Amino acid sequence: MLSTSWGLGQVMGFNHKAAGYPTVQEMVSTFNSSEYYQLEGMLNFIKSNKKLYKALKEKDWPTFAYYYNGKYYKKWNYDEKLIKAYG
């Protein structure tokens, strides 16, 4: 469970505390109950990382993609997908 990504935001299980859950089992169980909790967990995860949260607020999509998806974000064009989705 720790090495799997969960919910709408694909939050990794090992990030359960940053998503607001004391255990990965509680996060997965709660995520399975509602999309609302998946979104809430994703937002908690984003807010737990000051650089990630700042990038989101500033609409700095390359920086956001780097901190959310890792150093290979460019390989999958995550920054460009965010720019397009934001419109």
Side-chain angles (χ1 to χ4, degrees), residues 59 61 81-87:
K59 300 174 190 79
W61 305 122
K81 290 175 182 178
L82 287 165
I83 291 165
K84 185 177 179 183
Y86 187 76

Side-chain angles (χ1 to χ4, degrees), residues 55-73:
L56 178 63
K57 290 194 306 184
E58 294 177 354
K59 300 174 190 79
D60 178 354
W61 305 122
T63 301
F64 181 84
Y66 174 82
Y67 285 107
Y68 199 87
N69 301 104
K71 64 183 178 180
Y72 298 111
Y73 75 93

Side-chain angles (χ1 to χ4, degrees), residues 22-37:
T23 67
V24 66
Q25 291 84 358
E26 186 175 337
M27 182 181 87
V28 172
S29 176
T30 305
F31 277 17
N32 282 333
S33 71
S34 168
E35 289 178 352
Y36 172 87
Y37 294 113

